[in-house]
Coordinates of all heavy atoms in Angstrom, one line a residue:
F199 N -9.5 -17.2 -18.9 CA -10.0 -15.9 -19.6 C -8.8 -15.0 -19.9 O -7.9 -14.9 -19.0 CB -11.0 -15.2 -18.7 CG -12.2 -16.0 -18.3 CD1 -12.3 -16.7 -17.1 CD2 -13.2 -16.2 -19.3 CE1 -13.4 -17.4 -16.8 CE2 -14.3 -17.0 -18.9 CZ -14.4 -17.6 -17.7
D200 N -8.8 -14.4 -21.1 CA -7.7 -13.6 -21.4 C -8.1 -12.1 -21.2 O -8.5 -11.4 -22.1 CB -7.4 -13.8 -22.9 CG -6.1 -13.1 -23.3 OD1 -5.3 -12.7 -22.4 OD2 -5.9 -12.9 -24.5
F201 N -7.9 -11.7 -19.9 CA -8.3 -10.3 -19.6 C -7.3 -9.3 -20.0 O -6.1 -9.7 -20.1 CB -8.6 -10.2 -18.1 CG -9.8 -10.9 -17.6 CD1 -9.8 -11.9 -16.6 CD2 -11.1 -10.7 -18.3 CE1 -11.0 -12.6 -16.2 CE2 -12.2 -11.4 -17.9 CZ -12.2 -12.3 -16.9
P202 N -7.7 -8.0 -20.3 CA -6.7 -7.1 -20.8 C -5.6 -6.7 -19.8 O -5.8 -6.7 -18.6 CB -7.6 -5.8 -21.1 CG -8.9 -6.0 -20.3 CD -9.0 -7.5 -20.2
R203 N -4.4 -6.6 -20.4 CA -3.2 -6.1 -19.6 C -3.0 -4.7 -20.0 O -2.4 -4.4 -21.1 CB -2.0 -6.9 -19.9 CG -1.8 -8.2 -19.1 CD -2.5 -9.4 -19.7 NE -2.2 -10.7 -19.1 CZ -3.0 -11.7 -18.9 NH1 -4.3 -11.5 -19.2 NH2 -2.6 -12.8 -18.4
G204 N -3.6 -3.7 -19.3 CA -3.5 -2.3 -19.6 C -2.1 -1.8 -19.9 O -1.2 -2.1 -19.1
L205 N -1.9 -1.1 -20.9 CA -0.7 -0.4 -21.3 C 0.5 -1.3 -21.3 O 1.7 -0.9 -21.2 CB -0.4 0.8 -20.3 CG -1.5 1.8 -20.1 CD1 -1.1 2.9 -19.1 CD2 -1.7 2.6 -21.5
R206 N 0.3 -2.6 -21.5 CA 1.4 -3.6 -21.5 C 2.4 -3.2 -22.6 O 3.6 -3.4 -22.3 CB 0.8 -5.0 -21.8 CG 1.8 -6.1 -21.7 CD 1.3 -7.4 -22.1 NE 1.8 -8.5 -21.3 CZ 1.4 -9.7 -21.3 NH1 0.3 -10.0 -22.0 NH2 2.0 -10.6 -20.6
H207 N 2.0 -2.8 -23.7 CA 3.0 -2.5 -24.8 C 3.4 -1.1 -24.9 O 4.1 -0.7 -25.8 CB 2.4 -3.1 -26.1 CG 2.1 -4.5 -26.1 ND1 3.1 -5.5 -25.9 CD2 0.9 -5.2 -26.1 CE1 2.5 -6.7 -25.8 NE2 1.2 -6.5 -25.9
D208 N 2.9 -0.3 -23.9 CA 3.3 1.1 -23.9 C 4.8 1.2 -23.4 O 5.2 0.4 -22.6 CB 2.4 1.8 -22.8 CG 2.4 3.3 -22.9 OD1 1.7 3.8 -23.7 OD2 3.2 3.9 -22.1
E209 N 5.5 2.1 -24.0 CA 6.9 2.2 -23.7 C 7.2 2.6 -22.2 O 8.2 2.3 -21.7 CB 7.6 3.2 -24.6 CG 8.1 2.5 -25.9 CD 8.9 3.3 -26.7 OE1 9.3 4.4 -26.3 OE2 9.2 2.9 -27.9
G210 N 6.3 3.5 -21.6 CA 6.6 4.0 -20.3 C 6.3 3.0 -19.2 O 6.1 1.8 -19.5
F211 N 6.2 3.5 -18.0 CA 6.0 2.6 -16.8 C 4.7 2.9 -16.1 O 4.6 2.8 -14.9 CB 7.2 2.7 -15.9 CG 8.5 2.5 -16.6 CD1 9.5 3.5 -16.7 CD2 8.7 1.2 -17.2 CE1 10.6 3.3 -17.4 CE2 9.9 1.0 -17.9 CZ 10.9 2.0 -18.0
E212 N 3.7 3.4 -16.9 CA 2.4 3.7 -16.3 C 1.5 2.5 -16.3 O 1.7 1.6 -17.1 CB 1.7 4.8 -17.1 CG 2.6 6.1 -17.2 CD 1.8 7.3 -17.0 OE1 0.8 7.5 -17.6 OE2 2.3 8.1 -16.1
F213 N 0.5 2.5 -15.5 CA -0.4 1.4 -15.4 C -1.9 1.9 -15.7 O -2.2 3.0 -15.5 CB -0.4 0.8 -14.0 CG 0.9 0.4 -13.5 CD1 1.8 1.3 -12.8 CD2 1.3 -0.9 -13.7 CE1 3.0 0.9 -12.3 CE2 2.6 -1.3 -13.2 CZ 3.4 -0.4 -12.6
S214 N -2.7 0.9 -16.1 CA -4.2 1.2 -16.2 C -4.9 -0.1 -15.9 O -4.6 -1.1 -16.5 CB -4.5 1.7 -17.6 OG -5.9 1.7 -17.8
F215 N -5.9 0.0 -15.0 CA -6.6 -1.2 -14.6 C -8.1 -1.1 -14.9 O -8.9 -2.0 -14.5 CB -6.4 -1.5 -13.1 CG -4.9 -1.9 -12.8 CD1 -4.1 -1.0 -12.2 CD2 -4.4 -3.1 -13.3 CE1 -2.8 -1.3 -11.9 CE2 -3.1 -3.5 -13.0 CZ -2.3 -2.6 -12.3
S216 N -8.6 0.1 -15.5 CA -10.0 0.3 -15.6 C -10.6 -0.6 -16.7 O -11.8 -1.1 -16.5 CB -10.3 1.7 -15.9 OG -9.7 2.1 -17.1
G217 N -9.8 -1.0 -17.7 CA -10.4 -1.8 -18.8 C -10.6 -3.3 -18.3 O -11.5 -3.9 -18.8
L218 N -9.9 -3.7 -17.3 CA -10.0 -5.0 -16.7 C -11.4 -5.2 -16.1 O -12.1 -6.2 -16.3 CB -8.9 -5.1 -15.6 CG -8.8 -6.4 -14.9 CD1 -8.4 -7.6 -15.9 CD2 -7.6 -6.3 -13.9
K219 N -11.8 -4.1 -15.4 CA -13.1 -4.2 -14.7 C -14.2 -4.4 -15.7 O -15.1 -5.2 -15.5 CB -13.3 -2.8 -14.1 CG -13.5 -2.7 -12.7 CD -13.5 -1.2 -12.2 CE -13.6 -0.1 -13.2 NZ -13.2 1.2 -12.8
T220 N -14.2 -3.6 -16.8 CA -15.2 -3.7 -17.8 C -15.3 -5.1 -18.4 O -16.3 -5.7 -18.6 CB -15.0 -2.7 -18.9 OG1 -14.6 -1.5 -18.3 CG2 -16.2 -2.4 -19.8
A221 N -14.1 -5.6 -18.7 CA -14.0 -7.0 -19.3 C -14.5 -8.0 -18.4 O -15.2 -9.0 -18.8 CB -12.5 -7.3 -19.7
V222 N -14.2 -7.9 -17.1 CA -14.7 -8.9 -16.1 C -16.3 -8.8 -16.0 O -16.9 -9.8 -16.0 CB -14.1 -8.6 -14.7 CG1 -14.8 -9.5 -13.7 CG2 -12.6 -8.9 -14.8
R223 N -16.8 -7.6 -16.1 CA -18.2 -7.4 -16.0 C -18.9 -8.1 -17.1 O -19.9 -8.8 -17.0 CB -18.6 -5.9 -16.0 CG -20.1 -5.7 -15.6 CD -20.5 -4.3 -15.4 NE -19.8 -3.7 -14.3 CZ -19.0 -2.6 -14.3 NH1 -18.7 -2.1 -15.5 NH2 -18.4 -2.1 -13.3
R224 N -18.3 -8.0 -18.3 CA -18.9 -8.6 -19.5 C -18.8 -10.1 -19.4 O -19.8 -10.8 -19.7 CB -18.1 -8.2 -20.8 CG -19.0 -7.6 -21.9 CD -18.2 -7.2 -23.1 NE -17.6 -5.9 -22.9 CZ -16.3 -5.6 -23.1 NH1 -15.5 -6.6 -23.5 NH2 -15.9 -4.4 -23.0
T225 N -17.7 -10.6 -18.9 CA -17.6 -12.1 -18.7 C -18.6 -12.6 -17.7 O -19.2 -13.7 -17.9 CB -16.1 -12.4 -18.2 OG1 -15.2 -11.8 -19.2 CG2 -15.9 -13.9 -18.1
I226 N -18.8 -11.9 -16.6 CA -19.7 -12.3 -15.6 C -21.1 -12.4 -16.2 O -21.9 -13.4 -16.0 CB -19.7 -11.4 -14.4 CG1 -18.4 -11.6 -13.6 CG2 -20.9 -11.7 -13.4 CD1 -18.2 -10.6 -12.5

Side-chain angles (χ1 to χ4, degrees):
F199 302 100
D200 187 18
F201 290 127
R203 273 86 170 144
L205 304 177
R206 185 182 215 171
H207 302 295
D208 193 86
E209 271 189 9
F211 307 115
E212 304 224 309
F213 303 91
S214 168
F215 296 105
S216 61
L218 184 60
K219 240 172 12 201
T220 318
V222 171
R223 189 170 299 118
R224 233 181 279 126
T225 305
I226 291 176

